[in-house]
Amino acid sequence: MPETPSSENVSTKCRRIAELARQHRQMAFTSLNHYLDVDWLREAFSQVRKDGAPGVDGRTWYEYAAHLEENLQSLWNRAKSGTYQAPPVRRAHIPKGGSSTETRPIGIPTIEDKVLQRAVARLLEAIYEQDFFACSFGFRRGRSAHQALESLGEQSLDLGIRWVLDVDVRKFFDTLDHRHLLELLQLRVRDGVILRLIGKWLNAGVMEEGVLYYPEAGSPQGGVISPILANVYLHYLLDPWFHEVVQPRLRGRAFLIRFADDLVIGLTDESDARRVLDVVPKRFAKYELAVHPDKTHLVPFGKPQQRGASETPPPGSFDFLGFTHYWGRSRWGNWVIKRQTASSRMSRGLQAISRWCRFHRHQPLAEQQKVLTQKLRGHYPYYGITGNSAALGSFAREVTRLWYKWLRRRHRNRPSWAWFQRLLARFPLPRPVAIHSIYRAAKA
């Protein structure tokens, strides 16, 4: 799609900011807000979802778009003059893991807040993308979870990793310290307008069932500014420290892979691994964060045929980015690192499907098929990787079984499986496919 004059203008500015950040890596930007003009806000608005739920003001995307230029001009004036007031975030709850009792809180900013946060986030991204390390994959343009998985596998094999430290950060997005965050931001950003806006978002408050309260820690609930703020915080906390302080002191080799607050550290030497296990919680505590003592594990993960002494433990497994990683034989009999859908993710997905089927079983069959097809096509692109066909097929079969289970319950006579098979011929569900298959890529 060709760029509009507005988006081309923003892209040019982003490249200029990025060039300055790359050339002057120790420089703090004292003047950024002049880039934040109406064109920049218009481009940010174009990236806001039209079907997003309204915030505390009840204003929808379409209502805002009806007088867009007037609204953007007003927003720009208030942001620059310092009179913009960040509204509270409306908190809603969605079922957690398909459970009918457990819920997960989500924050819903106003449409205007989404526009301004996205605009500021793009400014910050232009700077920090020049600073972030290659080990960081989460919430970054052109980087993905599948790239993180690929890097994890390649480095484990290339370096001969024998131990993996699986780190679980306790409630990171809820406990991120505001004071530390603002101090870290000022290492690169000292523009008063930008820092003032971020400070307002950090202290905007949360509205839930008519009650307003102000969390003392955490990133803006549901805000598009949250991912870049989280990455900045974790970058300074972990990435340079690991590469410039920890790695030079190790006896063996090591790597770090991080996707936002999900991270693993691979090491070749057991004594190194135990030293890192001891020091990582202290490093997080320095920044007012904690690692979960029961969910942070040091896992033996050496290649089975490379195990030496008999007392060396056999390789274990660990979960990362929704997959269980373990050693297994390839189709040619070689030892390889395999991945399958983590049992917790499998259960969570199936519980969500079951809950949906239960509450929508009386809808027309064509509508049910459409939604289930969308859910499966949302599952396959992420979990459809080489070696995960068994788990992918199991998920598809269980979804089919659950649909049958709940459809039977809308009929008194409890129709047979043969009846359901005929129904599937009319309303088929998509078959599982390994979207990220190395074999398919090799044939292409």
Side-chain angles (χ1 to χ4, degrees):
M1 181 181 293
E3 287 189 327
T4 65
S6 176
S7 61
E8 185 177 358
N9 181 27
V10 172
S11 296
T12 301
K13 291 178 180 178
C14 283
R15 287 193 293 270
R16 175 58 179 159
I17 297 169
E19 181 182 354
L20 288 171
R22 187 166 49 251
Q23 292 176 350
H24 308 282
R25 295 188 179 275
Q26 304 302 318
M27 180 184 75
F29 286 77
T30 58
S31 180
L32 280 171
N33 70 84
H34 64 280
Y35 293 105
L36 200 66
D37 55 16
V38 174
D39 277 349
W40 197 287
L41 294 177
R42 189 184 300 110
E43 178 66 11
F45 175 78
S46 71
Q47 297 172 13
V48 175
R49 287 178 51 182
K50 296 180 181 181
D51 59 349
V56 293
D57 61 355
R59 206 174 188 184
T60 67
W61 185 95
Y62 295 98
E63 291 172 338
Y64 198 83
H67 304 282
L68 181 60
E69 294 306 314
E70 179 183 341
N71 288 329
L72 293 180
Q73 186 67 48
S74 171
L75 178 59
W76 179 80
N77 289 334
R78 285 176 284 136
K80 288 297 188 72
S81 65
T83 59
Y84 179 78
Q85 297 298 318
V89 173
R90 180 170 71 86
R91 174 173 281 180
H93 291 264
I94 60 175
K96 183 178 181 180
S99 170
S100 58
T101 56
E102 290 187 87
T103 61
R104 184 188 307 278
I106 60 169
I108 306 173
T110 63
I111 178 66
E112 198 162 62
D113 229 17
K114 292 176 184 177
V115 172
L116 192 53
Q117 284 193 28
R118 191 172 294 277
V120 173
R122 188 157 186 186
L123 273 176
L124 298 179
E125 287 169 2
I127 297 170
Y128 287 105
E129 276 300 316
Q130 317 315 311
D131 297 349
F132 289 157
F133 281 42
C135 65
S136 169
F137 290 87
F139 307 121
R140 296 179 59 188
R141 293 175 188 265
R143 311 204 108 207
S144 69
H146 290 103
Q147 290 175 331
L149 294 169
E150 183 179 356
S151 180
L152 170 59
E154 289 178 352
Q155 292 192 75
S156 295
L157 292 172
D158 293 345
L159 300 181
I161 292 303
R162 299 172 65 86
W163 296 87
V164 168
L165 178 57
D166 179 14
V167 181
D168 184 279
V169 184
R170 178 179 280 172
K171 296 182 177 179
F172 169 72
F173 285 94
D174 294 331
T175 58
L176 181 152
D177 185 78
H178 293 174
R179 178 179 59 84
H180 278 303
L181 173 61
L182 291 172
E183 288 176 355
L184 295 173
L185 282 169
Q186 290 180 64
L187 295 174
R188 282 297 245 165
V189 177
R190 293 182 188 166
D191 183 294
V193 171
I194 303 302
L195 291 175
R196 184 165 56 242
L197 285 171
I198 294 172
K200 288 180 178 181
W201 287 319
L202 292 174
N203 297 289
V206 176
M207 179 75 73
E208 184 172 6
E209 296 182 351
V211 178
L212 178 62
Y213 62 97
Y214 298 90
E216 296 182 357
S219 60
Q221 292 279 333
V224 293
I225 195 76
S226 289
I228 181 65
L229 295 182
N231 266 339
V232 168
Y233 200 98
L234 287 164
H235 166 77
Y236 285 114
L237 184 159
L238 198 61
D239 302 351
W241 170 77
F242 178 80
H243 289 92
E244 298 166 10
V245 178
V246 174
Q247 274 190 320
R249 290 170 169 78
L250 299 179
R251 295 174 55 187
R253 295 182 292 180
F255 69 80
L256 165 69
I257 298 290
R258 182 173 67 78
F259 192 93
D261 61 325
D262 290 330
L263 63 112
V264 292
I265 299 173
L267 306 105
T268 60
D269 184 84
E270 181 178 359
S271 62
D272 286 342
R274 299 200 179 280
R275 287 166 58 204
V276 174
L277 173 63
D278 180 62
V279 76
V280 162
K282 299 173 184 177
R283 179 66 179 180
F284 276 86
K286 181 178 179 180
Y287 288 84
E288 311 298 332
L289 294 172
V291 299
H292 201 296
D294 299 324
K295 296 181 180 180
T296 297
H297 306 287
L298 184 59
V299 181
F301 204 67
K303 189 175 181 179
Q305 66 184 24
Q306 289 182 343
R307 288 188 286 121
S310 59
E311 64 269 14
T312 302
S317 63
F318 63 94
D319 290 353
F320 182 60
L321 298 180
F323 293 92
T324 297
H325 301 250
Y326 64 99
W327 282 96
R329 295 281 189 181
S330 71
R331 62 172 64 178
W332 295 282
N334 301 319
W335 284 109
V336 295
I337 297 174
K338 292 192 170 186
R339 309 180 188 94
Q340 67 179 24
T341 309
S343 58
S344 60
R345 294 292 186 93
M346 179 78 81
S347 299
R348 184 191 306 175
L350 291 175
Q351 287 170 8
I353 294 286
S354 180
R355 187 171 184 272
W356 187 90
C357 289
R358 175 188 176 189
F359 288 105
H360 297 85
R361 64 185 185 272
H362 295 293
Q363 286 187 352
L365 293 174
E367 293 182 15
Q368 293 188 50
Q369 179 218 25
K370 180 180 178 180
V371 173
L372 289 175
T373 295
Q374 291 172 343
K375 291 181 181 296
L376 285 169
R377 286 180 176 164
H379 183 89
Y380 296 157
Y382 187 78
Y383 292 101
I385 65 173
T386 300
N388 197 36
S389 57
L392 213 63
S394 177
F395 187 85
R397 288 191 297 273
E398 285 299 304
V399 169
T400 303
R401 185 189 64 80
L402 288 169
W403 195 22
Y404 172 55
K405 168 187 172 180
W406 290 110
L407 284 180
R408 288 187 79 226
R409 297 195 180 188
R410 78 176 193 173
H411 297 278
R412 289 185 178 181
N413 61 350
R414 296 291 192 266
S416 66
W417 179 254
W419 166 85
F420 183 65
Q421 290 294 100
R422 293 192 296 272
L423 183 144
L424 281 178
R426 294 170 53 211
F427 302 101
L429 296 178
R431 294 181 177 181
V433 57
I435 304 294
H436 305 277
S437 169
I438 59 173
Y439 307 113
R440 179 180 290 107
K443 293 178 181 178

